[in-house]
Amino acid sequence: MKYRLLITLFLISVSLILLNRFSDLSINNPLIYWLLIFVLYSTFFLLLNGILKEKYRKATKILIIIIGVICIGLYRITYLSFWGTQTIEYVNISNENKSIEFQMRDLGGLGFKTRIIENTKILPNINWIKEIDTSKINKTEWKKVEIERNEMNIKFP
């Protein structure tokens, strides 16, 4: 029972991280992303310890603590480097879970990177996105709303 739960957690976290990396699935919250990374590595080492007949119980606990500290540190460092929605420009008339958003990403000393995406909400903080050109959208399907979100907390003059 214990190993089934560990295998399930491992497979879910691997799937979400790989989908985030190689598909249009987007994990918007850095806390959720680094929590998934922590679960991935922790369950891997717990399963490996189970395969090795619990020989390295202390080493596994220490390794999981080290992984936790590293994930907390990386969360603090990469907090602002995730995409943040500045404005929601359009909302789909037939499906309110779809919106067209203007997003920004902090590149540190290099400034900001921007994009306009069509965002479909799957779960809270997990979305399906694709970059689009707003000049080519069908205006009969979209309602213009211009909602300011300012997730990057940029102070305008």
Side-chain angles (χ1 to χ4, degrees):
M1 176 66 179
K2 175 183 168 185
Y3 292 112
R4 247 188 225 162
L5 177 64
L6 289 175
I7 291 170
T8 304
L9 285 173
F10 179 77
L11 291 176
I12 289 171
S13 60
V14 164
S15 301
L16 285 174
I17 290 168
L18 288 176
L19 283 171
N20 182 54
R21 179 70 180 129
F22 297 112
S23 75
D24 289 336
L25 186 83
S26 174
I27 299 172
N28 292 1
N29 192 334
L31 181 63
I32 292 173
Y33 178 79
W34 288 108
L35 188 64
L36 283 171
I37 296 285
F38 174 75
V39 168
L40 169 76
Y41 284 112
S42 298
T43 55
F44 174 75
F45 286 117
L46 287 170
L47 288 170
L48 188 63
N49 191 33
I51 290 170
L52 298 173
K53 309 285 188 229
E54 303 284 332
K55 281 184 181 179
Y56 303 103
R57 184 177 275 163
K58 275 188 181 178
T60 303
K61 287 179 184 178
I62 292 170
L63 200 54
I64 289 173
I65 290 170
I66 291 170
I67 291 168
V69 169
I70 290 171
C71 285
I72 289 170
L74 289 172
Y75 164 73
R76 299 289 296 173
I77 291 171
T78 63
Y79 181 74
L80 290 176
S81 66
F82 278 73
W83 289 101
T85 300
Q86 293 304 101
T87 58
I88 299 174
E89 296 182 359
Y90 296 93
V91 174
N92 193 295
I93 294 171
S94 61
N95 183 0
E96 290 189 11
N97 285 334
K98 281 186 171 183
S99 61
I100 295 177
E101 302 176 355
F102 171 71
Q103 291 188 335
M104 293 177 77
R105 181 179 187 173
D106 189 5
L107 299 175
L110 300 174
F112 294 99
K113 191 173 183 182
T114 62
R115 69 180 181 179
I116 297 177
I117 60 160
E118 180 182 324
N119 186 5
T120 306
K121 294 176 182 137
I122 298 171
L123 293 172
N125 296 312
I126 298 177
N127 304 322
W128 193 264
I129 63 164
K130 70 177 181 180
E131 290 193 39
I132 62 164
D133 182 11
T134 55
S135 64
K136 296 179 183 175
I137 65 169
N138 185 357
K139 302 279 184 182
T140 60
E141 295 177 8
W142 298 94
K143 177 180 148 188
K144 190 162 183 73
V145 289
E146 291 290 331
I147 299 170
E148 293 288 327
R149 293 280 301 272
N150 197 13
E151 289 179 355
M152 298 291 293
N153 295 321
I154 297 174
K155 296 186 179 22
F156 296 101

